[in-house]
Amino acid sequence: MSLKRFRNLIVFSLALVLMASCGGNQNGSKGPLGAGDAAQKVYVAPGEYDEFYAFLSGGFSGQLSVYGLPSGRLFKVIPVFSVDAEKAWGFNEETKPMLETSYGFVPWDDSHHPELSQTNGIPDGRWIFINANNTPRIARIDLTTFETVEIIELPNSAGNHSSPFTTENTDYVVAGTRFSVPVPQKDMAISEYAGNYKGILSFVEIADDGRMDIAFQILMPGYNYDLAHSGKGVSDGWTFFTSYNTEESNTLLEVEASKHDKDFIAAVNWKLAEQFIAEGNYEEMNSPYLRNFYDEGTQMASTEKFEKVKVLKPEDCPGLVYFLPTPKSPHGVDVDPTGEYIVGNGKLSAELTVHSFTKMKAAIENEDFDDEKYGIPVLNFDATLAGVVKSTGLGPLHTEFDDKGNAYTSFFISSEVIKWKVGTWEVLDRVPSYYSIGHLMVPGGDSKSPWGKYMLALNKITKDRYLPTGPEVNQSAQLFDISGDKMQLILDFPTVGEPHYAQAIPADIIMNNSKQLYKLEENHHPHAVMSEEDTKVIREGNVVRIYLTTIRSHFAPDNIEGIKVGDEVYFHVTNLEQDYDVPHGFAVMGARNSELLIMPGQTETLLWKPQYEGVIPFYCTDFCSALHQEMQGYIRVSPKGSSPELKWSVGTYE
Ligand code: K7E
Ligand code: CUA
């Protein structure tokens, strides 16, 4: 078939399926939602708490949003790989270093997969990790403060998509590259892709306090490494990565990378990798990368630079990697709660391929290999096959599990969720999603111990679900009750950005550890002041530091003179409040960055360069008290080259 005809065929069949999946809506029906019992199931009375925290990635927003389930109420949007003027993230002096990379300041990214830390294979609520797909990074968010506290860059990677899936005791989070590139990077013809470009899999070690470190990388053939999940239980010690484009094509991948009947799931024995590292069987590669860390004590972020990584080459490390042939460009790879079954979601297929870990081990033992690719044995397909789910859905992407031995798979093309039985592979139920589901999520649904009460569908297309808001409608999440035999749609809610994946965890695991304020006596910020008496203004050349405090409802000082055009003014603002939920804001007319939003007991710094002489107001932006509107001050700006006296005061008149 000619290329063009093949493409037309794909487009035509996609259009048919989409028409079919959206068509049901034209008669005005919008699915089963609307029943009174559905409303009751998601109703959380005013003042009551939700049962689960849900963390939805923001996709191209680079953020992470926090919702309550089952209500679908939005609690917070956490800036991660984005600047956020509301919280001064990436704008104040404290957090600017968090967005530094070896390319410089990169204030945006594309974040797909949040992943909770685990203990014994169960989400433990300490941290949540999230990937940056574009400029390869992983972030760690502390779930006592709901703040991003660490971001590590991944050298040699290009498109950090299969990331950051954790091992069962959070020894590592893993990070596979979507794009293969020359490793190390160099000027090279794109036509030389096949055989020369490489894909890097990174294993990022997580210390007991959460700190991230690149333990090692594995240099893989030039495929696209799409998703991953680590083993658990019987398969603990292994991580599985899907790949597509085993054709090693570099153009028109929609056709060229769909030629092979089977691509591979790469099974990586990371326990063995540790041994190769210990034995020195690795190459040290020059690979500069940065790591940014926010210190809660000094309340400042700082950046460290590293130069080298340890790289393992599968051809020199027998037993490190095996390929499991898996049909039709697999997208998600999901491991069931026992760790025995590895589900490949072949996105151009109607069927799911399930591999058995036990059979895989036996096939390795028996050297039941069909082929070898770049020194990596390709296991015999039938030897590892546990079963096939014949779903008759189209375009499976991702699978999650409940606590009753069931699995739930999203089907993008046929826009539905299919529930099936692990072990018998029998299809039990199916429901439509509105529309074109990507990931789905069951609380703990990729762990050893799912809380299988709800399933959240994360849909790519929203169309007519909400009041129109111009050409773009927010992406949509749909909540299903999965406690019974049949899945029941109980709620629609719009999301922030495009959530690819999500995680959820029972509320009590997190809420009791949630920080209420920063203790002033533990504030070791180098520019903190502990009382109004200590506030001051200091000039060093053209750098002026103004040490301010806030307390309901005034700034100290609130009258400042002696600043000149051309000065570099740092406002170091300490919030003296020691009550829960009493931040103060700080904004200066003409400042080119953002406001500050300072939590009780915290110090934040805004840089301001006065451009004109005059009298400039500043004020509190967060309605903090009955006299919030009185919470303001003035700065007098004198001409460049003048010698005004530095003066500051509060509550006095000259
Ligand atoms: Cu959207 Cu996990 Cu990036 Cu599938 S990925 S949908
Ligand atoms: Cu402080 Cu408003």
Side-chain angles (χ1 to χ4, degrees):
M1 204 182 311
S2 81
L3 227 165
K4 207 167 153 201
R5 278 183 56 203
F6 181 78
R7 264 162 72 192
N8 287 343
L9 188 71
I10 290 189
V11 170
F12 179 68
S13 30
L14 268 173
L16 264 185
V17 171
L18 274 176
M19 274 161 60
S21 62
C22 302
N25 219 35
Q26 275 145 17
N27 58 15
S29 142
K30 291 200 174 186
L33 192 62
D37 64 328
Q40 242 171 30
K41 281 180 175 172
V42 302
Y43 182 68
V44 178
E48 299 282 305
Y49 289 149
D50 275 280
E51 199 178 339
F52 291 94
Y53 282 97
F55 300 91
L56 277 61
S57 73
F60 43 68
S61 84
Q63 300 164 326
L64 179 70
S65 47
V66 187
Y67 290 84
L69 295 181
S71 74
R73 295 182 294 189
L74 174 65
F75 297 147
K76 187 166 189 169
V77 178
I78 304 171
V80 186
F81 304 106
S82 62
V83 290
D84 183 346
E86 176 195 335
K87 302 178 179 73
W89 181 256
F91 288 111
N92 63 20
E93 296 308 295
E94 285 74 13
T95 59
K96 276 180 187 171
M98 292 301 285
L99 297 169
E100 286 295 335
T101 72
S102 58
Y103 302 87
F105 185 80
V106 179
W108 169 87
D109 221 296
D110 183 18
S111 290
H112 288 208
H113 307 118
E115 176 88 350
L116 287 160
S117 56
Q118 298 186 0
T119 303
N120 298 323
I122 301 170
D124 57 25
R126 286 179 294 166
W127 314 295
I128 190 160
F129 301 90
I130 189 165
N131 67 318
N133 201 8
N134 181 57
T135 304
R137 288 170 281 179
I138 293 176
R140 179 169 59 91
I141 292 126
D142 184 323
L143 291 178
T144 64
T145 58
F146 285 64
E147 302 241 11
T148 307
V149 290
E150 193 173 6
I151 294 180
I152 193 165
E153 199 181 358
L154 301 161
N156 300 320
S157 180
N160 177 37
H161 192 256
S162 35
S163 170
F165 300 97
T166 183
T167 56
E168 72 167 46
N169 276 303
T170 322
D171 300 300
Y172 300 98
V173 295
V174 304
T177 190
R178 169 176 165 195
F179 304 105
S180 281
V181 291
V183 178
Q185 275 286 14
K186 62 176 175 188
D187 174 21
M188 189 177 188
I190 300 169
S191 59
E192 288 173 38
Y193 183 107
N196 295 312
Y197 285 32
K198 296 290 171 193
I200 277 280
L201 309 178
S202 306
F203 281 71
V204 177
E205 201 176 346
I206 310 300
D208 290 344
D209 61 358
R211 295 298 303 267
M212 299 189 284
D213 228 329
I214 299 176
F216 56 89
Q217 298 187 317
I218 303 175
L219 191 69
M220 296 285 287
Y223 310 156
N224 294 35
Y225 297 90
D226 206 15
L227 278 150
H229 262 106
S230 292
K232 46 175 101 77
V234 285
S235 55
D236 183 31
W238 292 74
T239 298
F240 307 93
F241 295 85
T242 45
S243 70
Y244 62 101
N245 193 24
T246 54
E247 295 84 352
E248 294 182 76
S249 168
N250 55 278
T251 183
L252 207 62
L253 262 58
E254 61 171 327
V255 174
E256 298 298 319
S258 303
K259 285 183 168 164
H260 288 173
D261 184 48
K262 294 185 181 72
D263 295 279
F264 300 129
I265 289 174
V268 175
N269 185 342
W270 57 259
K271 284 251 162 82
L272 189 59
E274 289 176 339
Q275 218 168 297
F276 286 121
I277 294 290
E279 289 163 2
N281 191 2
Y282 59 83
E283 188 184 300
E284 200 146 53
M285 203 181 269
N286 287 326
S287 315
Y289 65 97
L290 302 189
R291 181 176 67 187
N292 310 316
F293 178 66
Y294 179 84
D295 183 311
E296 212 181 285
T298 62
Q299 306 187 356
M300 302 270 286
S302 58
T303 297
E304 284 168 281
K305 187 168 184 196
F306 299 87
E307 299 291 347
K308 289 183 191 323
V309 285
K310 295 171 180 156
V311 177
L312 295 170
K313 296 185 172 165
E315 66 266 35
D316 302 334
C317 300
L320 178 64
V321 188
Y322 296 93
F323 282 140
L324 303 163
T326 304
K328 301 289 174 202
S329 303
H331 185 54
V333 55
D334 300 288
V335 181
D336 87 307
T338 68
E340 169 60 12
Y341 296 115
I342 301 136
V343 183
N345 303 263
K347 63 181 180 275
L348 299 179
S349 165
E351 295 177 349
L352 295 172
T353 305
V354 186
H355 299 283
S356 151
F357 181 74
T358 311
K359 285 181 147 191
M360 181 192 95
K361 288 294 284 287
I364 293 171
E365 194 79 14
N366 303 330
E367 303 197 356
D368 201 348
F369 307 144
D370 273 358
D371 198 357
E372 194 187 276
K373 296 280 182 194
Y374 302 97
I376 299 170
V378 179
L379 294 167
N380 176 272
F381 176 68
D382 295 310
T384 66
L385 189 69
V388 173
V389 182
K390 293 195 182 349
S391 67
T392 73
L394 257 187
L397 291 185
H398 299 283
T399 299
E400 293 258 302
F401 303 89
D402 69 12
D403 47 350
K404 300 174 206 77
N406 302 309
Y408 302 80
T409 301
S410 59
F411 287 76
F412 175 81
I413 300 176
S414 54
S415 194
E416 61 184 329
V417 177
I418 287 176
K419 175 182 176 182
W420 51 276
K421 192 93 209 151
V422 177
T424 69
W425 326 120
E426 151 201 20
V427 171
L428 303 174
D429 189 23
R430 61 202 309 154
V431 284
S433 70
Y434 304 92
Y435 307 96
S436 305
I437 182 173
H439 274 271
L440 42 55
M441 180 274 287
V442 172
D446 70 340
S447 77
K448 260 171 139 171
S449 182
W451 294 275
K453 187 168 178 186
Y454 302 110
M455 180 266 293
L456 190 69
L458 301 159
N459 301 316
K460 301 297 186 192
I461 296 172
T462 305
K463 295 278 187 209
D464 50 8
R465 301 300 291 180
Y466 307 126
L467 289 174
T469 50
E472 209 221 349
V473 198
N474 264 16
Q475 263 79 7
S476 179
Q478 293 189 298
L479 189 69
F480 292 82
D481 177 350
I482 56 166
S483 57
D485 287 344
K486 298 281 170 202
M487 296 176 274
Q488 191 199 1
L489 175 60
I490 52 176
L491 183 71
D492 265 23
F493 63 90
T495 63
V496 179
E498 180 188 355
H500 287 257
Y501 191 37
Q503 295 266 280
I505 186 168
D508 55 3
I509 298 180
I510 287 184
M511 61 183 284
N512 301 326
N513 299 325
S514 196
K515 203 178 190 78
Q516 300 217 319
L517 49 85
Y518 294 86
K519 288 191 186 133
L520 261 182
E521 66 264 27
E522 291 170 9
N523 178 341
H524 301 300
H525 190 291
H527 300 291
V529 285
M530 294 295 142
S531 69
E532 290 191 5
E533 293 76 68
D534 299 332
T535 57
K536 59 194 170 188
V537 181
I538 293 173
R539 174 182 287 282
E540 297 150 359
N542 72 329
V543 173
V544 180
R545 295 186 183 276
I546 303 179
Y547 295 79
L548 286 152
T549 59
T550 62
I551 197 136
R552 280 161 289 180
S553 297
H554 62 272
F555 291 97
D558 64 0
N559 280 206
I560 300 155
E561 298 191 8
I563 310 300
K564 296 181 288 182
V565 172
D567 281 346
E568 249 180 49
V569 180
Y570 291 91
F571 296 97
H572 301 294
V573 188
T574 301
N575 182 355
L576 298 178
E577 304 281 356
Q578 291 287 270
D579 276 335
Y580 179 41
D581 198 23
V582 190
H584 290 285
F586 179 76
V588 181
M589 187 168 87
R592 290 179 172 187
N593 27 34
S594 74
E595 66 161 359
L596 298 176
L597 189 65
I598 312 134
M599 298 304 129
Q602 252 194 331
T603 304
E604 288 191 24
T605 303
L606 191 78
L607 171 60
W608 173 61
K609 294 176 181 172
Q611 298 168 70
Y612 313 112
E613 50 202 78
V615 178
I616 303 294
F618 60 89
Y619 72 103
C620 172
T621 49
D622 187 321
F623 209 107
C624 49
S625 69
L627 296 170
H628 151 82
Q629 211 63 352
E630 281 70 14
M631 195 165 172
Q632 64 172 54
Y634 287 107
I635 308 163
R636 177 176 168 189
V637 181
S638 301
K640 202 177 181 131
S642 63
S643 321
E645 188 195 342
L646 270 187
K647 286 197 278 190
W648 63 93
S649 63
V650 60
T652 51
Y653 294 91
E654 284 184 48

Coordinates of all heavy atoms in Angstrom, one line a residue, residues 200-258:
I200 N 18.7 6.5 26.6 CA 19.2 6.4 28.0 C 18.1 6.1 29.0 O 17.1 6.8 29.0 CB 20.0 7.7 28.4 CG1 21.4 7.6 27.8 CG2 20.0 7.9 29.9 CD1 22.4 6.8 28.6
L201 N 18.3 5.1 29.8 CA 17.4 4.8 31.0 C 18.2 5.3 32.2 O 19.3 4.8 32.4 CB 17.1 3.4 31.1 CG 16.5 2.7 29.8 CD1 16.2 1.2 30.1 CD2 15.3 3.4 29.3
S202 N 17.6 6.1 33.0 CA 18.3 6.6 34.2 C 17.7 6.0 35.5 O 16.4 5.9 35.6 CB 18.2 8.2 34.3 OG 18.6 8.8 33.2
F203 N 18.5 5.7 36.4 CA 18.0 5.2 37.7 C 18.4 6.3 38.8 O 19.6 6.5 39.0 CB 18.5 3.8 38.1 CG 17.8 2.8 37.4 CD1 17.9 2.6 36.0 CD2 16.9 1.9 38.1 CE1 17.1 1.6 35.3 CE2 16.1 1.0 37.4 CZ 16.3 0.8 36.0
V204 N 17.4 7.0 39.3 CA 17.7 8.1 40.2 C 17.5 7.5 41.7 O 16.4 7.1 42.0 CB 16.8 9.3 40.0 CG1 17.0 10.4 41.0 CG2 17.0 9.8 38.5
E205 N 18.5 7.6 42.4 CA 18.5 7.0 43.8 C 17.8 8.0 44.7 O 18.1 9.2 44.6 CB 19.9 6.8 44.2 CG 20.1 5.8 45.3 CD 21.6 5.6 45.6 OE1 22.5 6.0 44.8 OE2 21.9 5.0 46.7
I206 N 17.0 7.5 45.6 CA 16.3 8.3 46.6 C 16.8 8.0 48.0 O 16.7 6.9 48.4 CB 14.8 8.1 46.5 CG1 14.2 8.2 45.1 CG2 14.0 9.1 47.4 CD1 14.5 9.5 44.4
A207 N 17.4 9.0 48.6 CA 17.9 8.8 50.0 C 16.8 8.8 51.0 O 15.6 9.1 50.7 CB 18.9 9.9 50.3
D208 N 17.1 8.4 52.2 CA 16.0 8.3 53.3 C 15.3 9.7 53.5 O 14.1 9.7 53.8 CB 16.6 7.8 54.6 CG 17.0 6.4 54.5 OD1 16.5 5.7 53.6 OD2 17.8 5.9 55.4
D209 N 16.1 10.7 53.3 CA 15.5 12.1 53.4 C 14.9 12.6 52.1 O 14.5 13.8 52.1 CB 16.5 13.1 54.0 CG 17.7 13.2 53.1 OD1 17.8 12.6 52.0 OD2 18.6 14.1 53.4
G210 N 14.9 11.7 51.1 CA 14.3 12.1 49.9 C 15.2 12.7 48.8 O 14.9 12.8 47.6
R211 N 16.5 13.0 49.2 CA 17.4 13.6 48.2 C 17.6 12.7 47.0 O 17.8 11.5 47.2 CB 18.7 14.0 48.9 CG 18.6 15.0 50.0 CD 18.1 16.4 49.5 NE 18.9 16.9 48.4 CZ 19.9 17.7 48.6 NH1 20.2 18.2 49.8 NH2 20.6 18.2 47.6
M212 N 17.7 13.3 45.9 CA 17.8 12.6 44.6 C 19.3 12.6 44.1 O 19.9 13.6 44.2 CB 16.9 13.1 43.6 CG 15.4 13.0 43.9 SD 14.3 13.5 42.6 CE 14.4 15.2 42.5
D213 N 19.7 11.5 43.5 CA 21.0 11.4 43.0 C 21.0 10.4 41.8 O 20.3 9.4 41.9 CB 21.9 10.7 44.1 CG 23.2 11.4 44.3 OD1 23.7 11.9 43.3 OD2 23.6 11.3 45.4
I214 N 21.7 10.7 40.7 CA 21.7 9.8 39.6 C 22.6 8.6 39.9 O 23.9 8.8 40.0 CB 22.1 10.4 38.2 CG1 21.0 11.5 37.9 CG2 22.1 9.4 37.1 CD1 21.4 12.3 36.7
A215 N 22.1 7.4 40.2 CA 22.9 6.3 40.5 C 23.7 5.8 39.3 O 24.9 5.6 39.3 CB 22.1 5.2 41.2
F216 N 22.9 5.5 38.2 CA 23.5 5.1 37.0 C 22.6 5.2 35.8 O 21.4 5.5 36.1 CB 24.0 3.6 37.1 CG 22.8 2.7 37.5 CD1 22.0 2.1 36.5 CD2 22.6 2.4 38.8 CE1 21.0 1.2 36.9 CE2 21.5 1.5 39.2 CZ 20.7 0.9 38.2
Q217 N 23.1 5.1 34.6 CA 22.3 5.1 33.4 C 22.6 3.9 32.6 O 23.7 3.3 32.7 CB 22.6 6.4 32.6 CG 22.2 7.7 33.3 CD 22.3 8.9 32.5 OE1 23.3 9.1 31.7 NE2 21.4 9.8 32.6
I218 N 21.7 3.5 31.8 CA 21.9 2.3 30.9 C 21.8 2.8 29.4 O 20.8 3.5 29.1 CB 20.9 1.2 31.2 CG1 21.0 0.8 32.7 CG2 21.1 0.0 30.3 CD1 19.9 -0.2 33.1
L219 N 22.8 2.5 28.7 CA 22.8 2.9 27.3 C 22.1 1.9 26.4 O 22.6 0.8 26.2 CB 24.3 3.1 26.8 CG 24.5 3.8 25.5 CD1 24.1 5.3 25.6 CD2 25.9 3.6 25.0
M220 N 20.9 2.3 25.9 CA 20.1 1.3 25.2 C 20.0 1.6 23.7 O 20.4 2.7 23.2 CB 18.6 1.4 25.8 CG 18.5 1.0 27.2 SD 18.6 -0.8 27.5 CE 17.0 -1.3 26.9
P221 N 19.5 0.6 22.9 CA 19.4 0.9 21.4 C 18.5 2.1 21.2 O 17.7 2.5 22.1 CB 18.7 -0.4 20.9 CG 18.9 -1.4 22.0 CD 19.1 -0.7 23.3
G222 N 18.6 2.7 20.0 CA 17.9 3.9 19.7 C 16.4 3.8 19.4 O 15.9 4.2 18.4
Y223 N 15.7 3.2 20.4 CA 14.2 3.1 20.3 C 13.6 4.3 21.1 O 14.4 5.1 21.7 CB 13.7 1.8 20.9 CG 14.4 0.6 20.4 CD1 14.4 -0.6 21.2 CD2 15.0 0.5 19.2 CE1 15.0 -1.8 20.8 CE2 15.6 -0.7 18.8 CZ 15.7 -1.8 19.6 OH 16.3 -2.9 19.2
N224 N 12.3 4.4 21.1 CA 11.6 5.4 21.9 C 11.1 4.7 23.2 O 10.3 3.8 23.1 CB 10.4 6.0 21.2 CG 10.9 6.8 20.0 OD1 11.8 6.5 19.3 ND2 10.2 7.9 19.7
Y225 N 11.6 5.1 24.3 CA 11.2 4.4 25.6 C 10.0 5.2 26.2 O 10.1 6.3 26.6 CB 12.4 4.3 26.5 CG 13.4 3.5 25.9 CD1 14.4 4.0 25.1 CD2 13.3 2.1 26.0 CE1 15.3 3.2 24.4 CE2 14.2 1.3 25.3 CZ 15.2 1.8 24.5 OH 16.1 1.0 23.9
D226 N 8.8 4.6 26.2 CA 7.6 5.3 26.3 C 7.1 5.4 27.8 O 6.8 6.4 28.3 CB 6.5 4.7 25.5 CG 5.5 5.7 25.1 OD1 5.7 6.9 25.3 OD2 4.4 5.3 24.6
L227 N 7.0 4.2 28.4 CA 6.5 4.2 29.8 C 7.2 3.1 30.6 O 8.0 2.4 30.0 CB 5.0 4.0 29.8 CG 4.3 5.4 29.6 CD1 2.9 5.2 28.9 CD2 4.1 6.2 30.9
A228 N 7.0 3.1 31.9 CA 7.7 2.2 32.7 C 6.8 1.9 33.9 O 5.9 2.6 34.3 CB 9.0 2.8 33.2
H229 N 7.1 0.8 34.6 CA 6.7 0.5 35.9 C 7.7 -0.5 36.5 O 8.2 -1.3 35.8 CB 5.3 -0.1 36.0 CG 4.2 1.0 36.3 ND1 3.4 1.5 35.3 CD2 4.0 1.7 37.4 CE1 2.6 2.4 35.9 NE2 3.0 2.6 37.2
S230 N 7.9 -0.3 37.8 CA 8.8 -1.2 38.5 C 8.1 -2.4 39.0 O 6.9 -2.4 39.2 CB 9.5 -0.5 39.6 OG 10.4 0.5 39.1
G231 N 8.8 -3.5 39.1 CA 8.3 -4.7 39.7 C 7.9 -4.5 41.1 O 8.3 -3.5 41.8
K232 N 7.2 -5.5 41.7 CA 6.9 -5.5 43.1 C 6.7 -6.9 43.5 O 6.4 -7.8 42.6 CB 5.6 -4.6 43.4 CG 4.5 -4.8 42.4 CD 3.2 -4.0 42.8 CE 3.0 -2.8 42.0 NZ 2.4 -2.9 40.7
G233 N 6.7 -7.2 44.8 CA 6.5 -8.6 45.2 C 7.5 -9.5 44.5 O 8.7 -9.3 44.6
V234 N 7.0 -10.5 43.8 CA 7.9 -11.4 43.1 C 8.9 -10.7 42.1 O 10.0 -11.2 42.0 CB 7.1 -12.5 42.3 CG1 6.5 -13.5 43.3 CG2 6.0 -11.9 41.4
S235 N 8.4 -9.7 41.5 CA 9.3 -9.0 40.5 C 10.0 -7.8 41.1 O 10.6 -7.0 40.3 CB 8.4 -8.6 39.3 OG 7.3 -7.8 39.7
D236 N 10.1 -7.6 42.4 CA 10.8 -6.5 43.0 C 12.3 -6.7 42.5 O 12.8 -7.8 42.5 CB 10.7 -6.5 44.5 CG 11.5 -5.4 45.1 OD1 11.6 -4.3 44.5 OD2 12.0 -5.5 46.2
G237 N 12.9 -5.6 42.2 CA 14.3 -5.7 41.7 C 14.4 -5.5 40.2 O 15.5 -5.4 39.6
W238 N 13.2 -5.5 39.5 CA 13.2 -5.3 38.1 C 12.4 -4.1 37.7 O 11.4 -3.7 38.5 CB 12.5 -6.5 37.4 CG 13.4 -7.8 37.4 CD1 13.6 -8.6 38.5 CD2 14.1 -8.4 36.4 NE1 14.4 -9.6 38.2 CE2 14.7 -9.5 36.9 CE3 14.3 -8.0 35.0 CZ2 15.5 -10.4 36.1 CZ3 15.1 -8.9 34.3 CH2 15.7 -10.0 34.8
T239 N 12.7 -3.4 36.6 CA 11.8 -2.4 36.1 C 11.5 -2.7 34.6 O 12.4 -3.2 33.9 CB 12.5 -1.0 36.3 OG1 12.7 -0.8 37.7 CG2 11.6 0.1 35.7
F240 N 10.3 -2.4 34.2 CA 9.9 -2.7 32.8 C 9.6 -1.4 32.1 O 8.9 -0.5 32.6 CB 8.7 -3.6 32.8 CG 8.9 -4.8 33.7 CD1 8.5 -4.8 35.0 CD2 9.5 -5.9 33.1 CE1 8.7 -5.9 35.8 CE2 9.7 -7.0 33.9 CZ 9.3 -7.0 35.3
F241 N 10.2 -1.3 30.9 CA 10.1 -0.1 30.1 C 9.4 -0.5 28.7 O 10.0 -1.4 28.1 CB 11.4 0.6 29.7 CG 12.1 1.2 30.9 CD1 12.9 0.4 31.7 CD2 12.0 2.5 31.2 CE1 13.6 0.9 32.8 CE2 12.7 3.1 32.3 CZ 13.5 2.3 33.1
T242 N 8.4 0.2 28.3 CA 7.9 -0.1 26.9 C 8.8 0.7 25.9 O 9.4 1.7 26.3 CB 6.5 0.4 26.7 OG1 6.3 1.7 27.2 CG2 5.5 -0.6 27.3
S243 N 8.8 0.1 24.7 CA 9.5 0.9 23.7 C 8.6 0.8 22.4 O 7.8 -0.1 22.3 CB 10.9 0.3 23.4 OG 10.7 -1.0 22.7
Y244 N 8.8 1.8 21.6 CA 8.2 1.7 20.2 C 9.3 2.3 19.3 O 10.4 2.6 19.7 CB 6.9 2.5 20.1 CG 7.0 4.0 20.3 CD1 7.0 4.9 19.3 CD2 7.0 4.5 21.6 CE1 7.0 6.3 19.5 CE2 7.0 5.9 21.8 CZ 7.0 6.7 20.8 OH 7.1 8.1 21.0
N245 N 9.0 2.3 18.0 CA 10.1 2.6 17.0 C 11.3 1.7 17.2 O 12.4 2.2 17.1 CB 10.5 4.1 17.1 CG 11.3 4.5 15.9 OD1 11.2 3.9 14.8 ND2 12.1 5.6 16.1
T246 N 11.1 0.4 17.3 CA 12.2 -0.5 17.2 C 12.7 -0.6 15.8 O 13.7 -1.2 15.5 CB 11.8 -1.9 17.8 OG1 10.6 -2.4 17.1 CG2 11.5 -1.9 19.3
E247 N 11.9 0.0 14.9 CA 12.3 0.1 13.5 C 13.5 1.1 13.4 O 14.1 1.1 12.3 CB 11.1 0.7 12.6 CG 9.9 -0.2 12.6 CD 8.9 -0.1 13.7 OE1 9.3 0.6 14.7 OE2 7.9 -0.8 13.7
E248 N 13.7 1.9 14.4 CA 14.8 2.9 14.4 C 14.6 3.9 13.2 O 15.6 4.1 12.5 CB 16.2 2.3 14.5 CG 16.4 1.6 15.8 CD 17.8 1.0 15.8 OE1 18.8 1.8 16.0 OE2 18.0 -0.2 15.7
S249 N 13.4 4.4 13.0 CA 13.2 5.3 12.0 C 13.3 6.7 12.5 O 13.2 7.0 13.7 CB 11.7 5.1 11.5 OG 11.4 6.2 10.6
N250 N 13.6 7.7 11.6 CA 13.8 9.0 12.0 C 12.9 10.0 11.3 O 13.0 11.2 11.3 CB 15.2 9.5 11.9 CG 15.8 9.3 10.5 OD1 16.2 8.2 10.1 ND2 15.7 10.4 9.7
T251 N 11.9 9.4 10.5 CA 11.0 10.3 9.9 C 9.6 9.6 9.7 O 9.5 8.4 9.7 CB 11.5 10.7 8.5 OG1 10.5 11.6 7.9 CG2 11.6 9.5 7.5
L252 N 8.5 10.4 9.7 CA 7.2 10.0 9.6 C 6.9 8.7 10.4 O 6.5 7.7 9.9 CB 6.9 9.7 8.1 CG 5.4 9.8 7.7 CD1 4.9 11.3 7.9 CD2 5.2 9.5 6.2
L253 N 7.1 8.9 11.7 CA 7.0 7.8 12.6 C 5.6 7.1 12.6 O 5.5 6.0 12.9 CB 7.4 8.2 14.0 CG 8.9 7.8 14.4 CD1 9.9 8.4 13.5 CD2 9.2 8.1 15.8
E254 N 4.6 7.9 12.3 CA 3.2 7.4 12.4 C 3.1 6.2 11.5 O 2.3 5.3 11.7 CB 2.2 8.5 12.1 CG 2.3 9.1 10.7 CD 1.1 10.0 10.3 OE1 0.0 9.7 10.8 OE2 1.4 11.0 9.6
V255 N 3.9 6.2 10.4 CA 3.9 5.0 9.5 C 5.1 4.2 9.8 O 5.0 3.0 10.0 CB 3.8 5.5 8.1 CG1 4.0 4.3 7.1 CG2 2.6 6.3 7.8
E256 N 6.3 4.8 9.8 CA 7.5 4.1 9.8 C 7.8 3.3 11.1 O 8.4 2.3 11.1 CB 8.7 5.1 9.5 CG 8.7 5.8 8.2 CD 8.7 4.8 7.0 OE1 9.5 3.8 7.1 OE2 8.0 5.0 6.0
A257 N 7.2 3.8 12.2 CA 7.4 3.2 13.5 C 6.3 2.2 13.8 O 6.1 1.7 14.9 CB 7.6 4.2 14.6
S258 N 5.4 2.0 12.8 CA 4.3 1.1 13.0 C 4.4 -0.2 12.1 O 3.5 -0.9 11.9 CB 3.0 1.8 12.6 OG 2.8 3.0 13.4

